[in-house]
Amino acid sequence: MTSAQVDTEKGPEESGEGYERGLGSRQVQMIAIGGAIGVGLFLGAGANIAKAGPSLILMYALAGVIIFFIMRALGELLLYRPVSGSFAEYSREFLGPFFGYFTGWTYWLMWVVTGMAELTAAAIYVNYWFPSVPQWVTALVFLVILFGVNLISVKLFGELEFWFSMVKVTALIGMIVIGLGVLTFGFSSAGDTAAVSNLWAFDGFFPKGVGSSLMTLQGVMFAYLAVELVGVTAGESEDPEKTLPKAINTLPWRIALFYVGALTVILCVVKWTEFAPGVSPFVAAFAKIGIPAGAAIVNFVVLTAALSSCNSGMYSTGRMLRNLADSGEAPAVFRKLSSTKTPALGIAVSVAFMGIGVILNYVVPEKAFGYVTSVATAAGIWTWLMILVSHVLYRRAVDAGRLPASSFPAPGGAKCSYVAIAFLLFVTGLIAYDPDSRVCLYVMAGWAAALGIGWAVLKTRNPRITERRPELDKVS
Protein backbone atom coordinates (compact mmCIF):
# COMPACT_ATOMS: atom_id res chain seq x y z
CA MET A 1 0.00 0.00 0.00
CA THR A 2 1.43 3.39 -0.98
CA SER A 3 1.80 6.35 1.36
CA ALA A 4 -0.81 8.17 -0.71
CA GLN A 5 -3.30 5.37 -0.04
CA VAL A 6 -2.52 5.38 3.64
CA ASP A 7 -3.04 9.14 3.85
CA THR A 8 -6.40 9.01 2.16
CA GLU A 9 -7.59 6.39 4.62
CA LYS A 10 -6.86 8.67 7.56
CA GLY A 11 -9.13 11.37 8.82
CA PRO A 12 -8.40 14.96 7.91
CA GLU A 13 -6.61 15.68 11.12
CA GLU A 14 -4.44 12.59 10.77
CA SER A 15 -3.49 12.99 7.16
CA GLY A 16 -2.63 16.64 7.33
CA GLU A 17 -5.46 17.42 4.89
CA GLY A 18 -9.00 18.70 5.51
CA TYR A 19 -8.37 21.96 3.68
CA GLU A 20 -10.92 23.49 1.36
CA ARG A 21 -9.90 22.91 -2.25
CA GLY A 22 -10.73 26.50 -3.09
CA LEU A 23 -7.93 27.46 -5.49
CA GLY A 24 -9.06 27.33 -9.11
CA SER A 25 -6.90 27.04 -12.20
CA ARG A 26 -6.95 30.80 -12.78
CA GLN A 27 -5.66 31.49 -9.26
CA VAL A 28 -3.01 28.73 -9.22
CA GLN A 29 -1.67 29.99 -12.56
CA MET A 30 -1.40 33.55 -11.28
CA ILE A 31 0.13 32.45 -7.96
CA ALA A 32 2.77 30.63 -10.01
CA ILE A 33 3.35 33.67 -12.22
CA GLY A 34 3.43 36.06 -9.27
CA GLY A 35 5.95 33.84 -7.51
CA ALA A 36 8.35 34.45 -10.38
CA ILE A 37 8.10 38.24 -10.10
CA GLY A 38 9.15 39.87 -6.87
CA VAL A 39 11.04 42.65 -5.15
CA GLY A 40 14.28 40.84 -6.02
CA LEU A 41 13.70 41.78 -9.65
CA PHE A 42 12.19 45.23 -9.18
CA LEU A 43 14.80 46.48 -6.69
CA GLY A 44 17.62 43.94 -6.43
CA ALA A 45 18.51 44.04 -10.11
CA GLY A 46 19.90 47.58 -9.72
CA ALA A 47 22.81 46.51 -7.50
CA ASN A 48 23.45 43.43 -9.62
CA ILE A 49 23.60 45.45 -12.85
CA ALA A 50 26.25 47.65 -11.23
CA LYS A 51 28.27 44.50 -10.40
CA ALA A 52 27.83 42.52 -13.61
CA GLY A 53 26.65 44.89 -16.36
CA PRO A 54 24.75 43.28 -19.26
CA SER A 55 26.03 39.81 -18.30
CA LEU A 56 23.38 39.82 -15.57
CA ILE A 57 20.97 38.76 -18.32
CA LEU A 58 22.95 35.54 -18.73
CA MET A 59 22.99 34.96 -14.96
CA TYR A 60 19.18 35.22 -14.80
CA ALA A 61 18.87 32.84 -17.75
CA LEU A 62 21.28 30.32 -16.20
CA ALA A 63 19.55 30.43 -12.82
CA GLY A 64 16.19 30.21 -14.61
CA VAL A 65 17.18 26.89 -16.19
CA ILE A 66 18.09 25.52 -12.75
CA ILE A 67 14.81 26.78 -11.28
CA PHE A 68 12.95 24.92 -14.05
CA PHE A 69 14.82 21.70 -13.14
CA ILE A 70 13.80 22.22 -9.49
CA MET A 71 10.17 22.84 -10.39
CA ARG A 72 9.93 19.82 -12.69
CA ALA A 73 11.37 17.67 -9.90
CA LEU A 74 8.79 19.12 -7.53
CA GLY A 75 6.07 18.61 -10.14
CA GLU A 76 6.86 14.92 -10.43
CA LEU A 77 6.62 14.54 -6.66
CA LEU A 78 3.40 16.56 -6.47
CA LEU A 79 1.63 14.36 -9.02
CA TYR A 80 2.91 11.25 -7.22
CA ARG A 81 1.31 12.51 -3.98
CA PRO A 82 -0.23 16.03 -3.89
CA VAL A 83 -0.17 17.26 -0.29
CA SER A 84 -0.13 20.64 1.41
CA GLY A 85 3.25 21.36 3.02
CA SER A 86 4.79 19.21 0.30
CA PHE A 87 8.49 20.07 0.83
CA ALA A 88 8.50 18.84 4.41
CA GLU A 89 6.35 15.83 3.53
CA TYR A 90 8.67 14.61 0.78
CA SER A 91 11.76 15.22 2.93
CA ARG A 92 10.10 13.23 5.71
CA GLU A 93 9.15 10.41 3.36
CA PHE A 94 12.42 9.98 1.47
CA LEU A 95 15.07 11.26 3.90
CA GLY A 96 13.51 10.58 7.27
CA PRO A 97 11.58 12.43 10.01
CA PHE A 98 14.45 14.75 11.00
CA PHE A 99 14.75 16.17 7.49
CA GLY A 100 11.00 16.71 7.31
CA TYR A 101 11.16 18.51 10.64
CA PHE A 102 14.17 20.59 9.61
CA THR A 103 12.77 21.48 6.18
CA GLY A 104 9.35 22.43 7.51
CA TRP A 105 10.72 24.75 10.18
CA THR A 106 13.32 26.22 7.80
CA TYR A 107 10.69 27.00 5.16
CA TRP A 108 8.63 28.62 7.92
CA LEU A 109 11.67 30.71 8.87
CA MET A 110 12.19 31.73 5.23
CA TRP A 111 8.71 33.19 4.95
CA VAL A 112 8.72 34.81 8.39
CA VAL A 113 11.93 36.75 7.70
CA THR A 114 10.75 37.54 4.18
CA GLY A 115 7.52 38.86 5.66
CA MET A 116 9.52 41.07 8.03
CA ALA A 117 11.45 42.58 5.14
CA GLU A 118 8.48 42.96 2.81
CA LEU A 119 6.29 44.70 5.40
CA THR A 120 8.99 47.25 6.03
CA ALA A 121 9.60 47.67 2.31
CA ALA A 122 5.87 48.21 1.71
CA ALA A 123 5.80 50.91 4.40
CA ILE A 124 8.76 52.65 2.75
CA TYR A 125 7.00 52.59 -0.62
CA VAL A 126 3.85 54.14 0.87
CA ASN A 127 6.08 56.82 2.43
CA TYR A 128 6.77 57.95 -1.16
CA TRP A 129 3.20 59.30 -1.33
CA PHE A 130 2.51 59.98 2.36
CA PRO A 131 5.80 61.03 4.00
CA SER A 132 4.05 62.29 7.14
CA VAL A 133 2.63 58.86 8.05
CA PRO A 134 4.95 56.96 10.44
CA GLN A 135 6.47 53.89 8.81
CA TRP A 136 5.45 51.53 11.62
CA VAL A 137 1.80 52.56 11.31
CA THR A 138 1.68 51.65 7.62
CA ALA A 139 3.43 48.35 8.24
CA LEU A 140 0.99 47.48 11.03
CA VAL A 141 -2.04 48.31 8.86
CA PHE A 142 -0.80 46.04 6.07
CA LEU A 143 -0.04 43.29 8.57
CA VAL A 144 -3.59 43.38 9.98
CA ILE A 145 -5.29 43.53 6.57
CA LEU A 146 -3.34 40.59 5.11
CA PHE A 147 -3.83 38.62 8.33
CA GLY A 148 -7.58 39.07 7.99
CA VAL A 149 -7.54 38.00 4.35
CA ASN A 150 -5.71 34.77 5.19
CA LEU A 151 -8.12 33.97 8.03
CA ILE A 152 -11.31 34.42 6.02
CA SER A 153 -10.77 31.74 3.35
CA VAL A 154 -8.29 30.30 0.90
CA LYS A 155 -10.51 31.59 -1.91
CA LEU A 156 -10.03 35.17 -0.75
CA PHE A 157 -6.27 34.61 -0.43
CA GLY A 158 -6.21 33.23 -3.97
CA GLU A 159 -8.27 36.12 -5.31
CA LEU A 160 -6.08 38.77 -3.69
CA GLU A 161 -2.93 37.02 -4.90
CA PHE A 162 -4.46 36.83 -8.39
CA TRP A 163 -4.87 40.62 -8.55
CA PHE A 164 -1.49 41.34 -6.97
CA SER A 165 0.09 39.16 -9.66
CA MET A 166 -2.03 40.74 -12.38
CA VAL A 167 -0.67 44.19 -11.48
CA LYS A 168 2.93 42.95 -11.63
CA VAL A 169 2.47 41.07 -14.90
CA THR A 170 0.64 43.93 -16.61
CA ALA A 171 3.24 46.46 -15.49
CA LEU A 172 6.18 44.35 -16.68
CA ILE A 173 4.59 43.67 -20.06
CA GLY A 174 3.88 47.40 -20.38
CA MET A 175 7.50 48.23 -19.58
CA ILE A 176 8.74 45.75 -22.18
CA VAL A 177 6.37 47.08 -24.87
CA ILE A 178 7.36 50.70 -24.16
CA GLY A 179 11.05 49.77 -24.22
CA LEU A 180 10.68 47.98 -27.55
CA GLY A 181 8.85 51.04 -28.86
CA VAL A 182 11.74 53.28 -27.85
CA LEU A 183 14.22 50.92 -29.55
CA THR A 184 12.16 50.60 -32.72
CA PHE A 185 10.82 54.12 -33.23
CA GLY A 186 13.32 56.18 -31.23
CA PHE A 187 10.75 58.28 -29.38
CA SER A 188 11.31 59.88 -25.94
CA SER A 189 14.47 61.44 -24.56
CA ALA A 190 16.11 57.98 -24.49
CA GLY A 191 15.50 57.38 -28.20
CA ASP A 192 18.81 58.86 -29.41
CA THR A 193 20.97 56.57 -27.26
CA ALA A 194 18.79 53.43 -27.15
CA ALA A 195 20.38 50.59 -29.13
CA VAL A 196 20.98 46.85 -28.91
CA SER A 197 24.70 47.63 -29.03
CA ASN A 198 24.40 49.00 -25.49
CA LEU A 199 24.70 45.37 -24.41
CA TRP A 200 28.38 45.26 -25.39
CA ALA A 201 29.46 48.80 -26.30
CA PHE A 202 30.61 49.81 -22.79
CA ASP A 203 33.53 47.56 -21.80
CA GLY A 204 31.92 44.44 -23.27
CA PHE A 205 29.23 42.00 -22.17
CA PHE A 206 31.27 41.09 -19.05
CA PRO A 207 32.55 44.57 -18.07
CA LYS A 208 33.58 43.55 -14.53
CA GLY A 209 34.81 40.08 -15.47
CA VAL A 210 33.20 36.64 -15.32
CA GLY A 211 33.97 36.28 -11.60
CA SER A 212 32.05 39.41 -10.69
CA SER A 213 29.12 38.22 -12.79
CA LEU A 214 29.05 34.86 -11.00
CA MET A 215 29.00 36.62 -7.62
CA THR A 216 25.59 38.07 -8.53
CA LEU A 217 24.07 34.58 -8.61
CA GLN A 218 23.25 34.75 -4.90
CA GLY A 219 21.14 37.87 -5.51
CA VAL A 220 19.62 36.35 -8.62
CA MET A 221 18.52 33.27 -6.68
CA PHE A 222 16.80 35.52 -4.12
CA ALA A 223 14.77 36.99 -6.99
CA TYR A 224 13.48 33.49 -7.78
CA LEU A 225 12.37 32.68 -4.22
CA ALA A 226 8.67 31.74 -4.03
CA VAL A 227 8.42 29.96 -7.39
CA GLU A 228 8.04 26.80 -5.29
CA LEU A 229 4.92 28.25 -3.64
CA VAL A 230 2.78 26.33 -6.12
CA GLY A 231 3.82 23.22 -4.20
CA VAL A 232 2.26 24.55 -1.00
CA THR A 233 -1.04 25.09 -2.86
CA ALA A 234 -1.24 21.40 -3.86
CA GLY A 235 -3.52 20.43 -0.99
CA GLU A 236 -5.98 23.22 -1.81
CA SER A 237 -6.05 23.13 -5.61
CA GLU A 238 -9.37 22.09 -7.14
CA ASP A 239 -7.73 19.90 -9.77
CA PRO A 240 -4.00 19.46 -9.01
CA GLU A 241 -3.53 16.87 -11.80
CA LYS A 242 -4.32 19.57 -14.38
CA THR A 243 -3.43 22.89 -12.76
CA LEU A 244 0.00 22.02 -11.31
CA PRO A 245 1.63 20.67 -14.53
CA LYS A 246 0.30 23.66 -16.47
CA ALA A 247 1.63 26.12 -13.88
CA ILE A 248 5.07 24.46 -13.86
CA ASN A 249 5.39 24.02 -17.63
CA THR A 250 4.73 27.70 -18.25
CA LEU A 251 7.66 28.67 -15.98
CA PRO A 252 10.28 28.86 -18.80
CA TRP A 253 8.37 31.46 -20.79
CA ARG A 254 7.67 33.46 -17.62
CA ILE A 255 11.38 33.55 -16.83
CA ALA A 256 12.26 34.33 -20.46
CA LEU A 257 9.74 37.18 -20.64
CA PHE A 258 9.71 38.75 -17.19
CA TYR A 259 13.38 38.39 -16.23
CA VAL A 260 15.56 37.87 -19.30
CA GLY A 261 13.27 39.81 -21.64
CA ALA A 262 12.61 42.76 -19.32
CA LEU A 263 16.28 43.19 -18.37
CA THR A 264 17.43 42.87 -21.99
CA VAL A 265 15.05 45.61 -23.12
CA ILE A 266 15.96 47.93 -20.24
CA LEU A 267 19.71 47.49 -20.81
CA CYS A 268 19.23 48.22 -24.50
CA VAL A 269 17.26 51.39 -23.76
CA VAL A 270 19.59 52.67 -21.02
CA LYS A 271 23.30 51.81 -20.89
CA TRP A 272 24.27 49.77 -17.86
CA THR A 273 26.67 52.40 -16.48
CA GLU A 274 23.71 54.67 -15.65
CA PHE A 275 22.23 52.22 -13.11
CA ALA A 276 23.23 52.31 -9.45
CA PRO A 277 22.72 50.13 -6.35
CA GLY A 278 19.66 50.98 -4.29
CA VAL A 279 17.74 52.34 -7.27
CA SER A 280 15.21 50.22 -9.16
CA PRO A 281 16.39 49.84 -12.77
CA PHE A 282 12.76 50.12 -13.85
CA VAL A 283 12.34 53.47 -12.10
CA ALA A 284 15.63 54.67 -13.60
CA ALA A 285 14.62 53.54 -17.08
CA PHE A 286 11.23 55.26 -16.86
CA ALA A 287 12.91 58.43 -15.65
CA LYS A 288 15.29 58.30 -18.64
CA ILE A 289 12.44 57.71 -21.07
CA GLY A 290 10.55 60.59 -19.51
CA ILE A 291 7.14 58.99 -18.99
CA PRO A 292 4.89 61.21 -16.80
CA ALA A 293 4.35 59.76 -13.31
CA GLY A 294 6.59 56.82 -14.30
CA ALA A 295 8.28 56.67 -10.89
CA ALA A 296 4.92 56.69 -9.10
CA ILE A 297 3.60 53.91 -11.33
CA VAL A 298 6.63 51.71 -10.67
CA ASN A 299 6.44 52.53 -6.95
CA PHE A 300 2.87 51.20 -6.93
CA VAL A 301 3.94 48.04 -8.74
CA VAL A 302 6.79 47.42 -6.28
CA LEU A 303 4.35 47.97 -3.41
CA THR A 304 2.06 45.23 -4.78
CA ALA A 305 5.11 42.96 -5.14
CA ALA A 306 5.97 43.44 -1.46
CA LEU A 307 2.37 42.90 -0.29
CA SER A 308 2.06 39.85 -2.54
CA SER A 309 5.16 38.31 -0.99
CA CYS A 310 3.93 39.00 2.55
CA ASN A 311 0.50 37.59 1.68
CA SER A 312 2.11 34.42 0.34
CA GLY A 313 4.26 34.19 3.45
CA MET A 314 1.26 34.17 5.77
CA TYR A 315 -0.38 31.50 3.63
CA SER A 316 2.73 29.29 3.58
CA THR A 317 3.72 29.55 7.23
CA GLY A 318 0.28 28.55 8.53
CA ARG A 319 0.20 25.45 6.32
CA MET A 320 3.77 24.48 7.22
CA LEU A 321 3.12 24.74 10.97
CA ARG A 322 0.05 22.51 10.58
CA ASN A 323 2.09 19.99 8.62
CA LEU A 324 4.73 19.97 11.36
CA ALA A 325 2.09 19.57 14.07
CA ASP A 326 0.48 16.73 12.14
CA SER A 327 3.82 14.90 12.30
CA GLY A 328 4.34 15.61 16.00
CA GLU A 329 7.11 18.14 15.29
CA ALA A 330 5.21 21.22 16.48
CA PRO A 331 2.55 21.75 19.20
CA ALA A 332 -0.58 19.71 18.41
CA VAL A 333 -2.78 22.80 18.71
CA PHE A 334 -1.53 23.91 15.27
CA ARG A 335 -3.36 20.95 13.72
CA LYS A 336 -6.77 22.53 14.20
CA LEU A 337 -8.55 24.22 11.31
CA SER A 338 -10.93 27.14 11.73
CA SER A 339 -14.56 27.07 10.61
CA THR A 340 -13.35 28.43 7.24
CA LYS A 341 -10.85 25.54 6.95
CA THR A 342 -7.75 27.70 7.43
CA PRO A 343 -4.92 26.96 9.94
CA ALA A 344 -5.81 30.13 11.84
CA LEU A 345 -3.57 29.66 14.88
CA GLY A 346 -0.51 28.84 12.78
CA ILE A 347 -1.11 31.96 10.70
CA ALA A 348 -1.60 34.05 13.84
CA VAL A 349 1.67 32.89 15.44
CA SER A 350 3.56 33.52 12.20
CA VAL A 351 2.03 36.99 11.91
CA ALA A 352 3.12 37.70 15.50
CA PHE A 353 6.72 36.96 14.54
CA MET A 354 6.39 39.10 11.42
CA GLY A 355 5.12 41.86 13.71
CA ILE A 356 8.33 41.62 15.73
CA GLY A 357 10.11 42.20 12.43
CA VAL A 358 8.21 45.46 11.95
CA ILE A 359 9.55 46.68 15.31
CA LEU A 360 13.08 45.47 14.59
CA ASN A 361 13.19 47.06 11.17
CA TYR A 362 12.01 50.30 12.73
CA VAL A 363 14.99 50.53 15.10
CA VAL A 364 17.87 48.77 13.31
CA PRO A 365 20.00 50.19 10.49
CA GLU A 366 19.06 49.84 6.81
CA LYS A 367 21.39 46.86 6.44
CA ALA A 368 18.83 44.79 8.33
CA PHE A 369 16.77 44.44 5.15
CA GLY A 370 19.73 42.90 3.34
CA TYR A 371 20.48 40.58 6.24
CA VAL A 372 16.97 39.14 6.47
CA THR A 373 16.75 38.64 2.71
CA SER A 374 20.08 36.80 2.73
CA VAL A 375 18.75 34.53 5.50
CA ALA A 376 15.66 33.93 3.35
CA THR A 377 17.90 33.00 0.41
CA ALA A 378 19.88 30.49 2.48
CA ALA A 379 16.65 28.94 3.78
CA GLY A 380 15.27 28.83 0.23
CA ILE A 381 18.37 27.05 -1.06
CA TRP A 382 17.92 24.40 1.65
CA THR A 383 14.29 23.91 0.58
CA TRP A 384 15.28 23.54 -3.07
CA LEU A 385 18.01 21.06 -2.17
CA MET A 386 15.53 18.93 -0.21
CA ILE A 387 13.15 18.92 -3.20
CA LEU A 388 15.95 17.75 -5.49
CA VAL A 389 17.34 15.08 -3.15
CA SER A 390 13.82 13.78 -2.48
CA HIS A 391 13.26 13.59 -6.24
CA VAL A 392 16.47 11.59 -6.77
CA LEU A 393 15.45 9.11 -4.06
CA TYR A 394 11.91 8.90 -5.41
CA ARG A 395 13.22 8.05 -8.89
CA ARG A 396 15.40 5.33 -7.40
CA ALA A 397 12.34 3.87 -5.65
CA VAL A 398 10.33 3.98 -8.90
CA ASP A 399 13.13 2.35 -10.91
CA ALA A 400 13.32 -0.40 -8.27
CA GLY A 401 9.55 -0.95 -8.45
CA ARG A 402 8.91 0.12 -4.85
CA LEU A 403 6.72 3.12 -5.72
CA PRO A 404 4.32 3.96 -8.56
CA ALA A 405 5.52 6.29 -11.31
CA SER A 406 4.24 9.86 -11.36
CA SER A 407 1.97 11.05 -14.17
CA PHE A 408 4.24 14.09 -14.61
CA PRO A 409 7.82 12.75 -14.90
CA ALA A 410 10.68 15.25 -15.01
CA PRO A 411 12.57 15.31 -18.33
CA GLY A 412 15.96 13.64 -18.00
CA GLY A 413 14.90 11.82 -14.86
CA ALA A 414 17.22 12.40 -11.92
CA LYS A 415 20.08 13.72 -14.10
CA CYS A 416 18.76 17.28 -14.14
CA SER A 417 18.28 17.13 -10.38
CA TYR A 418 21.96 16.24 -9.93
CA VAL A 419 22.92 19.25 -12.08
CA ALA A 420 20.68 21.53 -10.01
CA ILE A 421 22.12 20.18 -6.74
CA ALA A 422 25.66 20.95 -7.93
CA PHE A 423 24.59 24.46 -8.96
CA LEU A 424 22.97 25.23 -5.58
CA LEU A 425 26.07 23.99 -3.74
CA PHE A 426 28.16 26.28 -5.97
CA VAL A 427 25.94 29.27 -5.08
CA THR A 428 26.29 28.38 -1.39
CA GLY A 429 30.06 28.51 -1.89
CA LEU A 430 29.72 31.98 -3.42
CA ILE A 431 27.69 33.11 -0.39
CA ALA A 432 30.43 31.80 1.92
CA TYR A 433 33.07 33.63 -0.13
CA ASP A 434 31.29 37.01 0.05
CA PRO A 435 31.97 38.77 3.41
CA ASP A 436 28.67 40.69 3.28
CA SER A 437 26.42 37.72 2.60
CA ARG A 438 28.15 34.99 4.60
CA VAL A 439 26.49 36.37 7.74
CA CYS A 440 23.38 34.42 6.74
CA LEU A 441 25.36 31.16 6.97
CA TYR A 442 26.22 31.97 10.60
CA VAL A 443 22.54 32.61 11.25
CA MET A 444 21.63 29.32 9.59
CA ALA A 445 24.23 27.50 11.68
CA GLY A 446 22.61 28.91 14.82
CA TRP A 447 19.18 27.97 13.47
CA ALA A 448 20.40 24.41 12.80
CA ALA A 449 21.76 24.16 16.33
CA ALA A 450 18.44 25.37 17.78
CA LEU A 451 16.50 22.85 15.69
CA GLY A 452 18.93 20.12 16.73
CA ILE A 453 18.22 20.89 20.39
CA GLY A 454 14.49 20.93 19.66
CA TRP A 455 14.76 17.54 17.96
CA ALA A 456 16.60 16.09 20.95
CA VAL A 457 13.82 17.32 23.25
CA LEU A 458 11.15 15.84 20.96
CA LYS A 459 13.02 12.54 20.83
CA THR A 460 13.10 12.39 24.62
CA ARG A 461 9.40 13.16 24.99
CA ASN A 462 8.12 11.04 22.11
CA PRO A 463 10.68 8.63 20.56
CA ARG A 464 8.13 7.47 17.97
CA ILE A 465 8.40 10.67 15.90
CA THR A 466 12.07 9.96 15.22
CA GLU A 467 11.22 6.64 13.60
CA ARG A 468 10.19 6.12 9.99
CA ARG A 469 6.46 5.65 9.53
CA PRO A 470 5.80 1.97 8.74
CA GLU A 471 4.19 2.63 5.37
CA LEU A 472 7.33 4.43 4.19
CA ASP A 473 9.91 1.80 5.16
CA LYS A 474 10.01 0.50 1.59
CA VAL A 475 11.69 3.68 0.29
CA SER A 476 14.57 3.56 2.73
Side-chain angles (χ1 to χ4, degrees), residues 88-289:
E89 271 296 295
Y90 300 135
S91 299
R92 188 174 295 114
E93 177 173 351
F94 295 104
L95 288 158
F98 175 76
F99 286 92
Y101 159 83
F102 196 100
T103 301
W105 278 110
T106 300
Y107 195 67
W108 177 84
L109 172 71
M110 185 194 93
W111 276 114
V112 166
V113 296
T114 299
M116 293 179 187
E118 303 293 9
L119 277 173
T120 303
I124 292 171
Y125 302 147
V126 170
N127 195 56
Y128 174 86
W129 294 298
F130 306 103
S132 61
V133 178
Q135 183 175 309
W136 69 269
V137 172
T138 310
L140 183 61
V141 169
F142 284 141
L143 186 71
V144 171
I145 291 174
L146 294 178
F147 178 45
V149 165
N150 274 271
L151 286 185
I152 293 171
S153 74
V154 68
K155 286 184 178 180
L156 184 57
F157 158 79
E159 197 62 27
L160 187 62
E161 198 59 27
F162 174 86
W163 289 108
F164 277 153
S165 297
M166 184 66 77
V167 169
K168 293 186 285 187
V169 170
T170 303
L172 267 181
I173 292 175
M175 292 174 189
I176 292 170
V177 170
I178 291 169
L180 290 174
V182 173
L183 279 171
T184 305
F185 302 108
F187 63 82
S188 86
S189 57
D192 294 337
T193 56
V196 176
S197 60
N198 284 340
L199 295 178
W200 60 81
F202 301 93
D203 298 323
F205 190 69
F206 291 91
K208 299 292 184 71
V210 176
S212 182
S213 298
L214 290 174
M215 289 302 294
T216 65
L217 282 173
Q218 50 189 305
V220 168
M221 296 309 289
F222 170 71
Y224 283 125
L225 283 183
V227 294
E228 77 291 328
L229 181 63
V230 74
V232 184
T233 69
E236 292 166 275
S237 301
E238 290 177 351
D239 190 358
E241 288 77 14
K242 291 183 179 179
T243 58
L244 296 179
K246 187 176 180 181
I248 291 170
N249 279 335
T250 54
L251 184 65
W253 74 259
R254 296 199 304 269
I255 290 173
L257 177 65
F258 298 132
Y259 282 89
V260 178
L263 284 175
T264 300
V265 170
I266 281 180
L267 289 171
C268 287
V269 172
V270 182
K271 56 186 180 182
W272 74 269
T273 53
E274 297 187 25
F275 295 108
V279 178
S280 168
F282 295 93
V283 173
F286 267 50
K288 179 72 173 179
I289 293 171

Side-chain angles (χ1 to χ4, degrees), residues 348-373:
V349 170
S350 302
V351 166
F353 277 94
M354 290 181 191
I356 293 172
V358 173
I359 299 171
L360 291 175
N361 278 281
Y362 178 72
V363 298
V364 297
E366 291 182 0
K367 266 194 170 183
F369 184 87
Y371 287 151
V372 293
T373 52

